[in-house]
Amino acid sequence: MTLLDIETFLAVVKYGNLTVAAQNLFISQPSLTRRLQLMEQELGYPLILRQKGHRTIQLTDQGKEFYKIAWKWQLLLEETNSISFSGEKEILSVASVYSVGRYFLTPVLSQFLSQKFRVRLYNAFSEDSYQHIESGLYDLAFIEQQDYIYNNTRGTLTKPAFSEPFTVISYYDIKNSNGLVSSGDLKPDQEIYVPWNNEFKAWHSLRFQNHISPSIFLEDVALLECFLTDSKWVIAPYAMGKYFENKGAHIYHLVDAPPRRIIYYLVKGTKKNIPINLLLSLLDQYLHENFENKIISLLKHNE
């Protein structure tokens, strides 16, 4: 089985549709179907369910198990094929929730790469990161959901990275007092609701009591720029607020604010200690230099 076969299967799972997967792989659908059939023949079991009239593919039980292996297989094959090109450059696999990767890791990676390291950066949900850290797919992961912190029986360490407050972002003027607003000043039917973490959800339920549904329920934060227009508003972490402020939006601080969110990082073992410690050090420096003590780095406390 080749890396091309693995990429084909992962594309099918990612897009959930054979036609869309084929388009993104720049091959015809019959060619993609043939690749899958050859893989299934080689493996000795079916990977996807063949159902007439269903456009979205579903994995068999064997396919779901193979999906976990395929991730590892792809990384191992990539590592093997890159040895002759990498020289002495060590590769660090880093995963994070979108809001951390976009607003925190991206600015520090140029410095990290200048130190003769290479990086693979993945967007991952918090609940998936534990599994992939433990299996060795990721070397370092940043998570948000506190309810996923559990007993580290397999050697995975969970440590706090930083905390930041939530802020209100909007392109229209909201009634305020020197930049301060109350949740009562916000129009619930114009909200873009993002379920940041369990503490935030509990706070939101208490303040708004869910009498009026938000305008938009948004799980994919990357889409926020598409919807934050006109009279819409969103409660989001401070760093994201600063980003939108630079694009012309207003940011307001809540008098009755939700609890600060805490971002944690996951590591396992000591194999990649040098690049991990370097990246964390650069992140700590970035937090201290750019956020006027609004965002509190907790990285030094972990030493």
Side-chain angles (χ1 to χ4, degrees), residues 158-288:
T158 306
K159 299 183 177 183
F162 60 86
S163 73
E164 65 177 320
F166 285 95
T167 187
V168 178
I169 312 171
S170 177
Y171 280 102
Y172 80 99
D173 291 322
I174 298 175
K175 176 185 176 183
N176 70 93
S177 176
N178 295 321
L180 292 174
V181 298
S182 168
S183 57
D185 298 324
L186 304 173
K187 298 178 181 178
D189 59 338
Q190 294 299 314
E191 179 185 15
I192 299 175
Y193 175 69
V194 181
W196 294 103
N197 55 40
N198 281 349
E199 289 187 330
F200 177 84
K201 287 186 283 187
W203 173 90
H204 189 277
S205 178
L206 181 64
R207 287 294 182 276
F208 295 96
Q209 301 179 1
N210 298 327
H211 291 321
I212 301 176
S213 298
S215 174
I216 299 171
F217 181 100
L218 193 63
E219 187 174 78
D220 187 350
V221 186
L223 298 176
L224 184 57
E225 289 192 67
C226 301
F227 296 103
L228 189 60
T229 57
D230 303 326
S231 59
K232 300 292 189 297
W233 59 269
V234 66
I235 299 176
Y238 181 78
M240 186 178 291
K242 295 300 289 183
Y243 169 81
F244 278 96
E245 185 179 43
N246 290 333
K247 295 175 70 68
H250 306 287
I251 62 172
Y252 304 95
H253 302 287
L254 282 160
V255 176
D256 50 345
R260 296 172 68 96
R261 78 162 182 169
I262 300 178
I263 296 298
Y264 298 84
Y265 70 91
L266 309 177
V267 290
K268 181 181 180 182
T270 59
K271 184 180 178 181
K272 298 288 184 74
N273 265 1
I274 293 177
I276 288 174
N277 289 338
L278 172 61
L279 184 58
L280 293 178
S281 176
L282 291 172
L283 176 59
D284 179 68
Q285 179 181 343
Y286 178 75
L287 294 175
H288 282 294

Side-chain angles (χ1 to χ4, degrees), residues 53-70:
H54 289 262
R55 298 184 63 185
T56 302
I57 66 100
Q58 289 185 311
L59 297 179
T60 62
D61 290 340
Q62 297 98 323
K64 293 175 183 177
E65 289 300 314
F66 182 74
Y67 174 70
K68 301 174 185 178
I69 299 172

